[in-house]
Amino acid sequence: MSQHVSHSMPPPGHALDETHALHEAYATEEAPTQALPTGWRRAVFGVETALCRVVEYLAAALVLAEITVLFVGVVKRYALHSPIVWSDELASVLFIWLAMFGAVLALQRDSHMRMTALVSMASPRVRSVLETLALAAPLVFLMAVLHPAIEYAEDEMFVTLPALDVPNTWKAAALPIGIGLMALVSFLKLLRAANPKQVAVVCVCLVLAVALGHVASPWLKTLGNYNLLIFLVGLVAASVFAGVPIAFSFGLATVGYLTFTTTTPLAVVVGRMDEGMSHLILLSVPLFVFLGLLIEMTGMARALVGFLASLLGHVRGGLSYVLIGAMYLVSGISGSKAADMAAVTPVLFPEMVKRGAKKGDLVALLAATGAQTETIPPSLVLLTIGSVTGVSIAALFTGGLLPALVLGLALCLLVRYRYRNDDLSNVKRVSARDILWSAGIALPAIALPFVIRGAVMEGIATATEVSTIGIIYSVVVGLLVYRQFEWSRVVPMMISTAALSGAILLIIGAATGMAWALTQSGFSQNLAKVMSGLPGGAATFMVVSILAFIILGSVLEGIPSIVLFGPLLFPIARQMGIHEVHYAMVVILAMGIGLFAPPFGVGYYCATAIGDVNPDEGMKPIVGYMLVLLIALAVVAAVPWISIGFLP
């Protein structure tokens, strides 16, 4: 993005790294700045940089190819009435390569999502060891699955893609190549680490842990499902809180569980990862991420916020209402909360500070609006729910608008109370003529969410393809209407899109493998019995789900939580008579509250970094906002019509 955003360091105990990864992908189009190594490490760094430079351009080309293939498919089918039968198949092949190359870039940029609450509290020496572990642990997982990935790709030689009439190895080969490149990058990063002795000690400890697992394997196999607690709970928790990236924590736990307690070949894990990352609905994830970057670059977000400010800027707390409204509207465009916050903050915060607003209040409201708008299409969480549970994307897009509006109105009521004594004597009311002028300027930006939703509802494009319509629309508006389009930023934006998408999709793939292991162990059936047997029926189930997803949202973030527990809990909700769209809205909003609620919610620290505010300043004012959001969430949970009243 064009504006510079300072990354203020949160105090110890905060999940900084995931915040940095989320924000860095949007706030800049370059890799995070690192201190240049010296001596022989410079040569290692040079090899790593050259390798990743090649991957960057391949990833950017794949993003462009995805946009082109999907958009041409829409035009041929809807406008020319001659559909391309192989477009979706080709797009899915390109997509898995994009996901793997993006995961390589995310590893090189330290952008894989991770939780560092305990790491930040540790002493410098312990913190250094844990940071080394965060580099070495992924390498263990990658080396464990590299050969199985090669075997999986070879086996897919006997499967033919029906439309393209080529072996599925063309697609499956992305996995061993991506895994191999990630392993090489991880090794190079370890090689140039600051303390070789420390690296050696950590690596020896990991090797000994693997050897201990093999020695204890006969005993572990006698424990049955207690191994789930050891590996899929204990090892995951230990890895996540030690700062190992979430995707690799999931992968290590799944590989350890299957290797030491079962006879299942690891090629099955690779197959489940492929299945999780290859879902057709997920094709839109990188395209919506790129769309979020486009709306900022073209000035659409600034025009939209400017119109809302002219409309409400003269009332008490008016710019706070503008912030709530802008986040609601922009969320319908970008699909990503980090992009939303980065788009509206530089436009609104300076003027709000001039009017006497405290920065802590502003960042608290910004985080609250992030939680409020999690259900607004095309939210990446909505797309993920659709991919892992089979719920209609069109129904989720329709059902998500009103629940977010209910939470937004609740925030507006609190804003009205907090700013009831504002002094507006120096605030000049904007004339009706100027309001109409700013409305005209903002009209193309205001229209974009309706263009996206209308294209899906009218059958012009699928939920997978509609992001390409938004991209083409934004390019045309940027070039012809706002006359603001920096061609030099397009390739870096595509590279950042690939990196963030790779980080997200690797989590989905690893979590899909873990979810499969849970299902095969019989855990899902046991969970269903426990949840369905809770006293109070559907009401108790809903309350337990809300509490569980608030906790999961603060620790794991929304997408991995949904991939892990969505396939287990949605069937139970249906069994209890809860509409699946209603249940989806409730759990998404619950995860949003957890994601943006301190002390562990990483979204809160993303908001503080974007707003350049010390996290301590927002701790007190955000309490009121979170309480209001919880009350509004209870209303949404108690009144299903809010979520399903407008479904066809």
Side-chain angles (χ1 to χ4, degrees), residues 141-161:
F141 165 72
L142 294 167
M143 294 306 297
V145 297
L146 179 57
H147 187 262
I150 296 172
E151 291 181 337
Y152 174 75
E154 290 174 345
D155 292 342
E156 292 299 297
M157 179 70 74
F158 303 102
V159 179
T160 301
L161 295 172

Side-chain angles (χ1 to χ4, degrees), residues 214-248:
H214 280 289
V215 171
S217 179
W219 173 71
L220 289 172
K221 289 177 180 177
T222 65
L223 297 181
N225 278 353
Y226 286 108
N227 285 308
L228 297 177
L229 292 175
I230 297 173
F231 289 95
L232 303 188
V233 177
L235 183 56
V236 167
S239 300
V240 168
F241 284 106
V244 177
I246 293 173
F248 298 109

Side-chain angles (χ1 to χ4, degrees), residues 124-173:
R125 173 176 288 184
V126 173
R127 189 183 310 160
S128 178
V129 171
L130 293 177
E131 291 294 345
T132 304
L133 177 65
L135 285 174
L139 183 58
V140 173
F141 165 72
L142 294 167
M143 294 306 297
V145 297
L146 179 57
H147 187 262
I150 296 172
E151 291 181 337
Y152 174 75
E154 290 174 345
D155 292 342
E156 292 299 297
M157 179 70 74
F158 303 102
V159 179
T160 301
L161 295 172
L164 293 174
D165 194 27
V166 297
N168 195 45
T169 298
W170 284 94
K171 175 186 172 187

Side-chain angles (χ1 to χ4, degrees), residues 1-25:
M1 292 186 179
S2 56
Q3 73 273 10
H4 173 74
V5 182
S6 173
H7 299 284
S8 53
M9 294 291 288
H14 296 327
L16 174 62
D17 286 341
E18 185 169 357
T19 297
H20 178 78
L22 285 168
H23 177 54
E24 191 68 27

Side-chain angles (χ1 to χ4, degrees), residues 314-491:
H314 62 280
V315 302
R316 286 187 173 88
L319 292 184
S320 295
Y321 298 136
V322 171
L323 178 58
I324 296 170
M327 285 290 289
Y328 187 96
L329 292 175
V330 172
S331 291
I333 300 173
S334 73
S336 167
K337 295 298 149 300
D340 303 339
M341 293 187 292
V344 303
T345 298
V347 183
L348 280 177
F349 271 29
E351 181 61 27
M352 294 174 83
V353 171
K354 285 182 185 177
R355 297 190 183 191
K358 296 179 180 178
K359 286 190 173 183
D361 291 339
L362 298 184
V363 80
L365 180 58
L366 180 65
T369 57
Q372 165 224 334
T373 54
E374 282 285 275
T375 64
I376 296 176
S379 163
L380 301 183
V381 181
L382 285 179
L383 296 170
T384 304
I385 282 184
S387 73
V388 301
T389 66
V391 180
S392 164
I393 292 293
L396 290 171
F397 276 19
T398 301
L401 294 170
L402 195 52
L405 182 60
V406 170
L407 268 66
L409 292 174
L411 291 176
C412 288
L413 290 174
L414 182 56
V415 165
R416 181 178 180 181
Y417 174 78
R418 284 189 168 181
Y419 291 92
R420 64 192 182 279
N421 297 320
D422 259 12
D423 180 11
L424 300 178
S425 57
N426 295 322
V427 178
K428 183 180 178 181
R429 183 167 186 161
V430 179
S431 67
R433 180 180 178 181
D434 289 339
I435 291 176
L436 289 174
W437 176 257
S438 62
I441 294 174
L443 186 59
I446 296 172
L448 180 53
F450 299 99
V451 169
I452 289 175
R453 185 174 178 273
V456 175
M457 302 307 295
E458 295 299 322
I460 298 173
T462 66
T464 302
E465 300 165 332
V466 73
S467 52
T468 64
I469 293 179
I471 289 171
I472 301 301
Y473 177 92
S474 300
V475 171
V476 172
V477 168
L479 289 171
L480 303 182
V481 179
Y482 294 118
R483 305 291 181 94
Q484 184 177 332
F485 199 93
E486 300 176 44
W487 288 102
S488 61
R489 292 178 58 187
V490 172
V491 172

Side-chain angles (χ1 to χ4, degrees), residues 516-598:
W516 177 85
L518 284 169
T519 302
Q520 293 301 305
S521 70
F523 172 79
S524 57
Q525 292 87 343
N526 296 334
L527 178 65
K529 289 179 182 178
V530 172
M531 296 290 279
S532 59
L534 290 172
T540 303
F541 174 75
M542 190 68 87
V543 171
V544 171
S545 296
I546 289 172
L547 294 175
F549 277 100
I550 287 176
I551 295 171
L552 289 170
S554 67
V555 176
L556 293 181
E557 208 259 332
I559 290 174
S561 303
I562 281 296
V563 177
L564 272 178
F565 295 99
L568 303 179
L569 296 181
F570 272 74
I572 302 173
R574 283 192 290 266
Q575 179 184 333
M576 291 190 165
I578 301 173
H579 196 287
E580 54 193 7
V581 173
H582 176 215
Y583 187 66
M585 297 306 125
V586 171
V587 299
I588 289 173
L589 291 173
M591 286 190 303
I593 291 173
L595 177 64
F596 285 90

